[in-house]
Amino acid sequence: MKRRKYIALLVCVVLAGMGATVRAQEASADTIMKHIRYLSSSRYEGRQAGTQGYMDAADYVINALRSYGVKPYEKGEWMKYIFDVESNQVENASLFTYVHKDDVRQSYVLGKDFACVSMTGRGYADAPVVFCGYGIDNNAFNEYAKVDAKGKIVMVLTGVPKFLPQSVTEKYATLRDKARTALAHGAVALVAVNMSETCRPTEVQCQMFCGNPPHLFTFPMLQATRWCGNELLKNEKMTIDSVLTMMDSTHKPQSFLLDKKFAIDVNATYNPTAKTGNVVGFVEGRDLRLKREVVIVGAYLDHLGIQGETCLFPGADQNATGVAAVLEVARMLSQADEWQGRSVAFVFFSGGEHRHKGAEAFVRTFKDLEWVDAFLNIESVGSGDSIAVMGKKRFPILWSIVSHNDSLYTQLMKQEVNTMPQGDAVAFAKLGIPAVNIFTTNGHRYNHVPSDIAENVNRRMVTSATTLLYRTLMQLCNGDYQGRAEESRYNRFENTYDDVDIYSTGSSIDSRR
């Protein structure tokens, strides 16, 4: 109780010291939406890290920053901290089913019925099919025990059964895990049915991270929609629903051989060391004493790319909204008469979809990291019903500053969220740098799907989140917040992230959490 009273008193003191009157600055919804429309257009081909589409999007960001008077951080170089990522460019893919060799084949459409797993291998497979549940091969639950997968295509469900302990399921959580298991049983390809509760059954979905290397160069991997999965099992021994019902009631595998065959053809080009990098802009503070100190504002720029000509992942909400918000804050800052204090770095990370590799690369090599007082991250703020700021559990004073600005300007912040920093902020928080993430609540609707387009972005939500980001930045730049020193006066929280998904790129916070 004493600790809570001390925290509350300390926060009040900090906020009271930030009471300078500022000239009204409004975020422009039109400017924000212009950025979102450009970045999510087909010209950037989904901004996959390690591709020309990403580099072209980075050029767009650089030109926008330059127009706002922002300078490159060091030696005239805008793109810093170059690092390697896996890149897999799918040129085309097809899926057919048939029962007898001479039958008319039922075709399915890339981008409508299925997508390739991000790190699919290339190749052709025309073979019988075995359904193997969740693709688990464990003594406690072996879904391969009563079927022969050799020379066949394996069909599985994404995820793992909830009734099994993590010690059994952890080796089969990703699609690469499932593919390696199928390959070990002699399979020639994998078709996974998307069971995500946050994705509509008729919409394809993709995740850039599908498990750790090595790459399976000649092993095709597809992810079908739930609707497509039902079609693939039509007139077969069991349906997806009957499999789940039996599995949940008996806790036993429900594997079987299909009557029909699949024909799969994937053409993809894999590069294990594709080059990518972060864009870093800088605006020097105007206070002689404070300008060496830096507040970083960041968002990740990359997304999932394009597969063939029919499957584009535009990434409007995830995360063109975050990029547009940071660009708009840069524009507002360039016109801010009231800004006098700390310097500001604008960072647009690559590798956000690769478990936030860009943020990790940044903190490893940023030469002025000791002078960073805070990191404000914004991600996927174009949908949902409220704003959720992650990081209160680790950095309550910084979180309270954001909450204070919300009470003054936006009134959209969900107050009961009490979590560790996530996403790009993890790399900073691990080093003790105060960091928070601005997300939205209940905004899963367009998570990693082709319909994540600018027309589906909530203008009011993204504009409000941008305003909140800007107001918080202004108080951090001009106020008395002392960053690590301020938080460390009472904060003894260990740098552990066991209770959260530290690499979440899910764009929004579910109110059930």
Side-chain angles (χ1 to χ4, degrees):
M1 184 63 69
K2 290 182 179 180
R3 181 175 178 270
R4 289 180 179 177
K5 289 182 179 179
Y6 177 68
I7 293 174
L9 177 61
L10 185 57
V11 170
C12 289
V13 170
V14 171
L15 295 179
M18 297 179 174
T21 302
V22 297
R23 180 174 65 84
Q25 268 283 81
E26 298 297 331
S28 168
D30 289 341
T31 303
I32 293 169
M33 291 305 303
K34 181 196 74 172
H35 291 313
I36 294 171
R37 280 190 291 269
Y38 267 101
L39 289 168
S40 60
S41 67
S42 60
R43 74 191 73 189
Y44 299 122
E45 298 186 330
R47 311 188 307 275
Q48 184 186 154
T51 69
Q52 187 60 46
Y54 173 82
M55 298 302 290
D56 291 343
D59 285 340
Y60 173 86
V61 168
I62 291 168
N63 289 332
L65 291 173
R66 188 181 287 119
S67 72
Y68 301 146
V70 179
K71 306 293 184 182
Y73 182 73
E74 185 179 10
K75 296 180 180 178
E77 297 180 14
W78 284 100
M79 184 165 285
K80 297 292 293 181
Y81 318 115
I82 305 299
F83 55 96
D84 294 341
V85 292
E86 284 187 285
S87 173
N88 200 33
Q89 298 186 63
V90 177
E91 291 143 34
N92 53 66
S94 61
L95 169 64
F96 296 90
T97 63
Y98 65 97
V99 177
H100 302 291
K101 185 176 181 180
D102 297 329
D103 287 348
V104 175
R105 296 190 173 198
Q106 173 66 49
S107 64
Y108 296 89
V109 179
L110 175 65
K112 178 180 179 291
D113 304 314
F114 72 94
C116 291
V117 176
S118 61
M119 295 301 158
T120 179
R122 62 187 301 160
Y124 177 75
D126 188 340
V129 184
V130 288
F131 178 83
C132 292
Y134 290 96
I136 295 174
D137 178 9
N138 185 280
N139 290 336
F141 194 80
N142 190 344
E143 296 180 288
Y144 285 89
K146 295 184 178 181
V147 293
D148 180 10
K150 187 174 182 179
K152 298 181 178 66
I153 295 169
V154 169
M155 184 176 176
V156 297
L157 307 176
T158 64
V160 293
K162 296 178 181 179
F163 57 80
L164 291 176
Q166 185 178 357
S167 59
V168 173
T169 62
E170 61 185 353
K171 294 182 179 180
Y172 309 95
T174 73
L175 292 179
R176 261 183 171 165
D177 293 333
K178 297 176 190 290
R180 273 190 280 267
T181 303
L183 182 60
H185 282 272
V188 294
L190 182 83
V191 175
V193 180
N194 186 17
M195 302 300 292
S196 170
E197 296 178 358
T198 63
C199 181
R200 291 192 304 173
T202 57
E203 192 158 33
V204 299
Q205 191 176 45
C206 187
Q207 303 283 341
M208 184 56 64
F209 179 78
C210 61
N212 293 317
H215 185 63
L216 305 178
F217 284 91
T218 58
F219 193 82
M221 296 183 285
L222 307 183
Q223 179 166 290
T225 67
R226 178 74 175 264
W227 175 88
C228 182
N230 286 326
E231 289 295 306
L232 295 175
L233 291 181
K234 195 171 183 178
N235 299 322
E236 297 292 346
K237 179 180 178 181
M238 300 183 77
T239 66
I240 293 175
D241 288 340
S242 65
V243 165
L244 294 176
T245 299
M246 286 294 294
M247 200 177 292
D248 288 340
S249 62
T250 65
H251 291 186
K252 293 182 179 179
Q254 303 296 320
S255 304
F256 58 93
L257 176 68
L258 274 64
D259 288 332
K260 63 175 66 74
K261 295 182 179 181
F262 293 176
I264 296 170
D265 193 7
V266 175
N267 188 12
T269 302
Y270 174 74
N271 184 351
T273 57
K275 301 297 181 184
T276 191
N278 305 322
V279 174
V280 185
F282 186 72
V283 179
E284 188 176 41
R286 299 169 184 166
D287 184 278
L288 293 177
R289 181 177 63 87
L290 290 177
K291 68 179 183 179
R292 189 169 185 182
E293 299 177 14
V294 180
V295 177
I296 297 178
V297 183
Y300 74 85
L301 175 60
D302 63 299
H303 197 53
L304 303 176
I306 187 172
Q307 298 183 5
E309 297 180 354
T310 57
C311 189
L312 171 68
F313 294 95
D317 185 27
Q318 197 175 30
N319 184 35
T321 55
V323 173
V326 176
L327 288 175
E328 177 62 359
V329 167
R331 184 194 68 80
M332 295 167 72
L333 185 67
S334 69
Q335 300 175 5
D337 295 336
E338 75 274 17
W339 172 59
Q340 298 294 331
R342 294 180 172 91
S343 298
V344 179
F346 298 103
V347 185
F348 301 85
F349 299 106
S350 185
E353 297 289 353
H354 293 261
R355 310 197 84 177
H356 302 276
K357 289 190 70 173
E360 295 285 351
F362 181 86
V363 299
R364 283 198 305 270
T365 52
F366 187 64
K367 66 183 182 66
D368 292 325
L369 205 63
E370 64 181 300
W371 294 102
V372 176
D373 286 316
F375 172 62
L376 302 176
N377 175 239
I378 187 164
E379 179 181 335
S380 305
V381 287
S383 60
D385 52 36
S386 58
I387 295 173
V389 180
M390 317 303 289
K392 181 180 182 181
K393 192 173 182 179
R394 181 69 172 89
F395 302 110
I397 297 179
L398 179 58
W399 185 92
S400 295
I401 292 170
V402 184
S403 179
H404 173 71
N405 280 276
D406 172 73
S407 68
L408 293 177
Y409 302 110
T410 50
Q411 294 89 45
L412 282 173
M413 189 169 155
K414 193 175 181 66
Q415 295 297 316
E416 60 267 31
V417 173
N418 185 26
T419 68
M420 298 285 278
Q422 296 183 14
D424 287 318
V426 172
F428 294 84
K430 283 181 177 180
L431 300 178
I433 298 172
V436 293
N437 313 83
I438 299 176
F439 290 94
T440 56
T441 310
N442 297 324
H444 295 291
R445 172 65 184 81
Y446 302 107
N447 183 21
H448 288 174
V449 296
S451 61
D452 185 11
I453 58 178
E455 288 74 12
N456 288 327
V457 167
N458 184 324
R459 289 168 61 99
R460 174 177 175 266
M461 187 62 68
V462 68
T463 305
S464 296
T466 303
T467 297
L468 179 59
L469 179 66
Y470 173 75
R471 293 296 184 181
T472 302
L473 175 64
M474 282 295 93
Q475 291 211 356
L476 291 176
C477 285
N478 294 335
D480 296 329
Y481 182 64
Q482 298 299 310
R484 276 170 275 198
E486 197 79 67
E487 299 281 358
S488 65
R489 291 181 187 178
Y490 70 91
N491 194 332
R492 297 295 183 266
F493 201 100
E494 295 181 3
N495 276 314
T496 176
Y497 291 84
D498 294 339
D499 59 341
V500 297
D501 176 9
I502 64 173
Y503 296 110
S504 172
T505 57
S507 80
S508 73
I509 306 305
D510 193 314
S511 61
R512 293 170 297 179
R513 293 179 63 173

